[in-house]
Amino acid sequence: MENPGYCSGSFDGLHHPSDDDDDDMVDIAGATLDFSSTDDVPPLNRDFAAGMNGNGPAKLVDPLEDPVPGLGTYEDFNTIDWVREKSKDRDRHREITKKSRQSTVALLHSVSDAFSGWLLMLLVGLMSGALAGGIDIAAHWLTDMKDGVCLIGFWFNHEHCCWTSNETTFQERDRCPQWQSWGELITGTSEGAFAYIMNYLMYIFWALLFSFLAVTLVRAFAPYACGSGIPEIKTILSGFIIRGYLGKWTLIIKTITLVLAVSSGLSLGKEGPLVHVACCCANILCHLFTKYRKNEAKRREVLSAAAAVGVSVAFGAPIGGVLFSLEEVSYYFPLKTLWRSFFAALVAAFTLRSINPFGNSRLVLFYVEFHAPWHLVELAPFVLLGIFGGLWGALFIKANIAWCRIRKSTRLGHYPVTEVLVVAALTALLAYPNSYTRMSGAELISELFNDCSLLDSSQLCGYKQVSNSLADRPAGEGLYTALWQLALALIFKMMITVITFGMKVPSGLFIPSMAVGAIAGRLLGVGMEQLAYYNHDWLIFKGWCSPGADCITPGLYAMVGAAACLGGVTRMTVSLVVIMFELTGGLEYIVPLMAATMTSKWVADAFGREGIYEAHIRLNGYPFLEPKEEFEHSSLAVDVMRPRRSDPALAVLTQEGMTVGEVETLVESTHYSGFPVVVSQESQRLVGFVLRRDLLISIGQNHILICVSHFNVNPQLPSDNAPEAPPPLRLRGIMDLSPFTVTDHTPMDITVDIFRKLGLRQCLVTHNGRLLGIITKKDILKHMAQIANRDPDSILFN
């Protein structure tokens, strides 16, 4: 072992032997590879000193019996092999079950292994719920800090500050001496132009400070913490590897900057990023359990459940969260994952409820209950809201993708901090004068969902008081002012959200989309209410809306509009209806929600079948085979496979006879992630498939063993036992003997389905058992891009 350059564990030693190599050394480059299907024998048929200390024979590493450390791990920006991962887990489970019959310790290990999944779900639920509670409390406090400060303790938000005050009145319950606006603190009075200007300037200052801190932290410590995170999580759950996207730094920075971004007043929400936060928690906790740490497919089952947890803590909707994960995010969702998602979402919701971040014993800020039933005639305006939601969703996706493409292709993308500051300043400047754009998205939605009572001080309840009843009231001056402000807020929200989503800060889309729909719904609801008041004798109102009756609930229209717009943007259906039902507690309003949601999806699909997350996946070039997308072209496997007619021959390994040197040359001259193994170059009969990484690691390991055995031979062995030539390296253990194959005439729609449902990385194409070519996931994505007249080289796939 005098020569570390030759006999080392590094690949540098393997590929670049030093110039002073001993001539008597075994030359591994001359050794042959043997993939034959006979029983494996050790690469060297003799013992050598264990640990190089002469204490007895050591067992040579056989990849079949003792897998090489690191074998089968994946590089960054690669796709996992689902079939291989599931097979590894089955083998591991069989081994544990077999050993459990042999001893009590092994039985206990088997029980703990079976229970580990549920324990992991419990930890994910607790951690995500605690983080979500902290984010809600901190965001509420910082949002209020833009308006003023609590004199009895700066850590109190506005509501908590005024809770203990005896000076508050019912009409002005948000005002108390303990809470002072910045204008009042600086000028000594809350009235007048100077106080207003000071409040305005302080609002802009805090908005710029929070947004600057958010974008700076993201840029400096965790670039993956920006955006919603759902497009990337969908891609990761489909089997793609993005190292660091779900790491601890991403979790820490995303949690901090999410609070700052929401508090800055930018038109974004925390719901989408909370899914990312929950998945980060799950990924980090997976490292505590060997079963999930070492198996990428098993880890993705946990991440699917974590996505459900994220929505559960975002909306206080555990059932909706499970359905969201199933409908919108997950790629592989077995029944076992459904149960565990349900359990984790329950734990997370319970944790959040225990923290009680909103102080109202509810899981969400805008929990409302409507008292008046809806009538069949109202389905027409509900469908109208669905049409608006679909049109808005399609328009928003096209506009936002166009803006993001400009950001990627121009110099704008080189200045993320400047962009965030400019948008934050513009948002604060335009939002402050309008009370409906000044308040946070969640507060705005809560206000719009509100069902007016007699003592309600909201401007939206500014009706003329003609009687002591809640119903049958004409609009007053306050309501007309509120409607004009809402109309301006609608235009502002629609435009500013387009340029905000996709910036380099954590940004969710649920709340801004719901806010747009809620404003439109409230405007339509008030219009319907006034129409019914002044036209009781019309045919559509006769019989169910008599004078003095509480006919129309504007808050219900706001809720339906919110669902319609969110559905138009994300194309969610079932999960969205359940989330909205859990938000409001109104079981009888499911039919209006279903009608609006389905209408918005149909209308939006007429302009393009991609939701906002799928559009961003395509924009970023992630290798994602959309399960909802139909492949309608009539091409065959032979049309898509490589090599094409003009390409060089397929790079293959032969079953016997190839030397290590020839394999090294082949590996160094190509960038392929794996190689088919054939009987011989002449016959091209398929034997199996071997991954590049496994091949290199196994050759490197065998190389070390040959070196060790040559220099540490037991001195009692006769010298004529030394082999004259290196024996063949048996590598059947790393070869996939049953690679997935299709014939050259297999229709591509069937091939695409095979790739989607089995999560394949590649599939070999044969004709009568003879290897013709290979189809990878990248080939399919490029082919689909060409059919859709898109750039096929935009796909990020290693």
Side-chain angles (χ1 to χ4, degrees), residues 511-672:
I511 290 295
S513 300
M514 289 176 69
V516 168
I519 294 171
R522 188 76 186 204
L523 290 171
L524 182 62
V526 172
M528 284 291 293
E529 183 186 46
Q530 296 305 303
L531 194 66
Y533 173 75
Y534 288 110
N535 301 281
H536 280 298
D537 54 340
W538 280 17
L539 185 63
I540 59 170
F541 297 118
K542 258 186 182 177
W544 69 278
C545 193
S546 56
D550 190 4
C551 305
I552 308 290
T553 307
L556 171 62
Y557 284 74
M559 184 180 79
V560 172
C565 278
L566 185 54
V569 171
T570 63
R571 310 300 162 83
M572 293 158 56
T573 51
V574 180
S575 55
L576 177 58
V577 171
V578 174
I579 287 170
M580 296 303 295
F581 155 61
E582 289 186 88
L583 283 181
T584 58
L587 184 61
E588 60 183 306
Y589 303 112
I590 279 186
V591 173
L593 287 169
M594 290 173 70
T597 304
M598 281 311 303
T599 305
S600 72
K601 177 173 171 55
W602 288 333
V603 172
D605 281 351
F607 294 91
R609 299 189 68 84
E610 285 183 330
I612 186 66
Y613 302 129
E614 291 78 24
H616 273 269
I617 285 171
R618 184 163 57 79
L619 177 72
N620 293 326
Y622 298 135
F624 181 73
L625 272 176
E626 175 55 59
K628 303 170 191 171
E629 189 179 344
E630 293 293 328
F631 186 89
E632 297 174 348
H633 204 262
S634 58
S635 51
L636 302 175
V638 72
D639 302 322
V640 181
M641 74 173 193
R642 288 180 295 159
R644 310 281 164 78
R645 285 194 177 94
S646 58
D647 293 346
L650 191 67
V652 297
L653 300 174
T654 55
Q655 186 175 14
E656 295 180 11
M658 283 190 81
T659 65
V660 175
E662 290 172 340
V663 174
E664 286 181 34
T665 303
L666 179 65
V667 169
E668 288 174 358
S669 61
T670 60
H671 58 274
Y672 307 127

Side-chain angles (χ1 to χ4, degrees), residues 363-376:
L363 288 172
V364 289
L365 188 58
F366 36 89
Y367 187 95
V368 291
E369 287 180 298
F370 303 124
H371 306 289
W374 63 279
H375 194 268
L376 195 62

Side-chain angles (χ1 to χ4, degrees), residues 43-212:
L44 292 172
N45 194 19
R46 53 187 169 146
D47 298 333
F48 63 90
M52 294 177 288
N53 59 11
N55 291 335
K59 183 177 181 289
L60 291 176
V61 175
D62 180 1
L64 183 65
E65 298 174 8
D66 188 7
V68 179
L71 198 68
T73 54
Y74 302 100
E75 300 291 344
D76 200 8
F77 296 112
N78 267 274
T79 301
I80 71 168
D81 190 333
W82 285 91
V83 178
R84 179 187 179 126
E85 296 296 308
K86 296 299 290 182
S87 176
K88 276 167 52 181
D89 185 62
R90 278 196 301 272
D91 292 343
R92 184 197 63 81
H93 189 262
R94 285 195 196 105
E95 186 69 20
I96 289 174
T97 306
K98 181 181 175 183
K99 287 181 178 178
S100 68
R101 303 190 188 100
Q102 298 172 359
S103 70
T104 307
V105 175
L107 179 63
L108 291 173
H109 177 253
S110 174
V111 172
S112 68
D113 181 77
F115 185 68
S116 62
W118 294 100
L119 178 60
L120 179 56
M121 290 297 101
L122 176 69
L123 295 175
V124 170
L126 290 170
M127 187 174 177
S128 302
L131 279 176
I135 288 169
D136 286 332
I137 292 168
H140 199 174
W141 170 57
L142 286 181
T143 301
D144 286 350
M145 188 180 280
K146 290 188 300 181
D147 296 322
V149 67
C150 186
L151 299 180
I152 58 174
F154 74 93
W155 55 87
F156 289 121
N157 63 35
H158 193 168
E159 188 178 3
H160 290 172
C161 188
C162 292
W163 260 356
T164 56
S165 176
N166 296 321
E167 288 87 353
T168 53
T169 61
F170 189 83
Q171 282 75 18
E172 294 187 332
R173 53 188 174 273
D174 60 339
R175 300 193 62 162
C176 62
Q178 289 85 353
W179 178 269
Q180 288 196 354
S181 67
W182 293 109
E184 192 176 354
L185 206 63
I186 295 168
T187 65
T189 176
S190 60
E191 305 297 330
F194 189 53
Y196 181 83
I197 291 170
M198 288 309 303
N199 283 330
Y200 202 161
L201 291 175
M202 289 301 293
Y203 183 89
I204 295 172
F205 166 75
W206 287 112
L208 287 172
L209 178 64
F210 294 156
S211 56
F212 175 74

Side-chain angles (χ1 to χ4, degrees), residues 778 782 785 790-796:
K778 180 179 180 181
K782 283 192 170 186
R790 299 195 302 264
D791 178 18
D793 293 322
S794 64
I795 298 159
L796 169 69

